[in-house]
Amino acid sequence: MKIIVAIKQVPERDARIRIDSSGKWIALDDIEFRMNESDAYALEEALLLREAHGGEVIVLSAGPERVGQTIREALAKGADRGIHILSDSLASYDALGVARLMAAAIRDEAADLILTGLQSDDLGLGQTGVILAELLAIPHSSLILKIEKTDTGIRVLRELEDGWFQQIEMPTPALLTIQSGNTRLRYATLMGIKKAKTKELRSVEAASLGVDAVPSVTLDSVALPSRQKSTQMLTGSPAEAAAKLVEKLQQEVRVL
Amino acid sequence: MSTVLVFLEAKSDEPTRLSLEALAAGVRLAAETGSQLAAAMVGAASASGFAMLGGAAQIYAISHPLLARYTADGFTAAYAQLIAKLQPDFVLFPHSYEVRDFVPRLATRLTRVLLSDVIGFEVASGQVTADKVTFTRQLFQGKLNGHYRAASPAPVLASVQAGAFRADSPSATTATVETFTPELDAATIRTQPGEPFRAAAQTVDLGSAPLIVSVGRGIKDEANIAIVKELADALGAELAASRPICDAGWLPMERQVGSSGQTVAPKMYLAVGISGAIQHLVGMKASQCVIAINKDENAPIFEIADYGIVGDLFEVVPALTAAVRKAKG
């Protein structure tokens, strides 16, 4: 099985959110980056499938130079090679534009399966994978927890709302967006980190892929959300704040 | 005259609550842009659920045997055909798991991008065209709002977040229900969906618990769950968690609150180390009293909390447990 895993590098989850001077994005100067969480689960599923059925796992990511670190991390965990779509201005593409770059970069690979996380932790669009499936004219399914190989393709377990699930069968090639939590993520071993340095990482300039960058939607500005409720903040030392809360629980919430 | 088209979802022939919220968003958008409102839902025109779509000028019952069970290919083709027929300026959807699954594909077929999970919109005054409406959606798990605008001609596609608009009480409508039969070919539907099923029977009914103490990612390690359990025990509360805790196997899945877990509305919901991503908030925001303990004063959970303590949970929680025990004698 030849599997492509599309991963995104995103600001670390606890990163301090400050709006930059353009008012269109956050200041990135002192931010640490990491692999998007659900993409890490997609990578894990791909590595498990390769261990069970053989084949190759190729990591695909787009963005500036620093994205190379996240691809190397995936290679250290066991992916075989990487493709980096180099762009310093990825934000000027919308989700359709990014998916078009990805489609152009991988079309010749003719993979059996393309996996990606269901949603990014920064933009949270939850669309790029599904758009990519349409561009490549292959079937897809989203919010996938399990993948099994069958004689004719794959059988997947899809999460529905409110604790319901569903099995879906489909032919390959196919694209799946992976929900987090079905497996434990592996760590890169020292040997893996060492090996990753010699694995193939091919860079492709975004501009060379012949994709129209004119977006159909634009992010005009960002703002910190306003509070919907007036929250009473209980201040002081931990003991003082705890004492104030107990008083509220007794006198106002009346649960003590 | 421009058209706002709202696609709704039905369960047992009745529109879902989230669909009625999307319809409410459509009613407002149509009023503010001077558009007519149309609604569409998969089902037979005779189904009683269509009577609940008050406010829509025109209602379409999308009917075809190949739509009996949801598939991305079938729904994409059917919706694309109705959009081609009606040429709407705006198309709204409920941001459900189904919509997340196929509407990005539908939008791509129209060379558009879905504005997903929007929490509001603002219509610029004056000449109203599709690109004059600003849609707001959340970024960074709710820590930041982004204001988006269409840069291409109509239609603009947007899905509406659960709870962002108040569903109007269903009213009888005088609008006619018209059957729309798309042309579908079984060979173009590539996925074979199985019957939906529920996992193991739930033994913890968080839905009926009057008091809930819930723990999130801020707890850092499985061993630390014990301090939150002690607080829950001191209060006589059920212990619950956000998704990452259950994903990690630190608490069983049946204790998960949120869009993929249980929906609760207790008298008191105390969130410990939970930042408040929307997937969690939709499962608990109907709670009568929300209390949040978090080290990040900007965590979205504080936006819906009645009481908040900004601090290190490893100091605050034991102090609170001691104070509760003392108060109970």
Side-chain angles (χ1 to χ4, degrees), chain A residues 13-72:
Chain A
R13 190 174 282 272
D14 290 335
R16 204 169 135 235
I17 305 287
R18 283 178 302 125
I19 297 171
D20 71 9
S21 56
S22 77
K24 293 187 171 204
W25 197 235
I26 59 164
L28 295 175
D29 29 311
D30 54 354
I31 287 213
E32 306 246 342
F33 293 89
R34 61 172 181 82
M35 192 185 303
N36 185 53
E37 188 171 59
S38 57
D39 297 345
Y41 282 93
L43 173 64
E44 183 63 36
E45 287 296 326
L47 296 173
L48 291 172
L49 282 169
R50 187 194 59 190
E51 281 158 17
H53 306 289
E56 188 183 18
V57 173
I58 305 158
V59 180
L60 170 73
S61 192
E65 203 68 49
R66 60 173 156 78
V67 168
Q69 299 157 17
T70 298
I71 299 178
R72 286 281 174 214

Side-chain angles (χ1 to χ4, degrees), chain A residues 235-251:
Chain A
T235 55
S237 69
E240 286 162 1
K244 286 179 188 170
L245 181 55
V246 164
E247 197 186 308
K248 299 288 180 195
L249 292 177
Q250 286 174 315
Q251 289 170 15

Side-chain angles (χ1 to χ4, degrees), chain A residues 13 37-42 44-45 118 121 143-145 159 165 178-185, chain B residues 97 141 215-217 219 222 225 240-257 259-261 279-280:
Chain A
R13 190 174 282 272
E37 188 171 59
S38 57
D39 297 345
Y41 282 93
E44 183 63 36
E45 287 296 326
L118 75 104
D121 294 335
L143 286 143
I144 299 305
L145 289 162
E159 181 181 295
F165 301 90
I178 305 299
Q179 168 69 293
S180 60
N182 184 50
T183 49
R184 296 295 169 85
L185 299 176
Chain B
Y97 277 32
Q141 324 266 328
V215 56
R217 214 185 270 271
I219 199 70
E222 182 168 14
I225 301 272
S242 64
R243 179 164 188 127
I245 301 302
C246 301
D247 277 355
W250 298 351
L251 282 174
M253 282 292 177
E254 59 189 11
R255 292 198 180 267
Q256 186 195 325
V257 167
S259 59
S260 53
Q279 294 85 345
H280 187 74

Side-chain angles (χ1 to χ4, degrees), chain B residues 10-72:
Chain B
K11 256 186 195 145
S12 318
D13 281 342
E14 298 235 319
T16 60
R17 178 173 181 78
L18 182 52
S19 292
L20 293 174
E21 291 173 6
L23 186 66
V27 169
R28 213 191 96 195
L29 183 60
E32 293 183 17
T33 58
S35 308
Q36 59 179 344
L37 183 68
M41 189 161 78
V42 170
S46 57
S48 59
F50 286 98
M52 294 170 72
L53 309 185
Q58 184 60 266
I59 297 168
Y60 296 90
I62 307 171
S63 181
H64 197 287
L66 288 173
L67 300 176
R69 189 169 290 173
Y70 165 78
T71 59

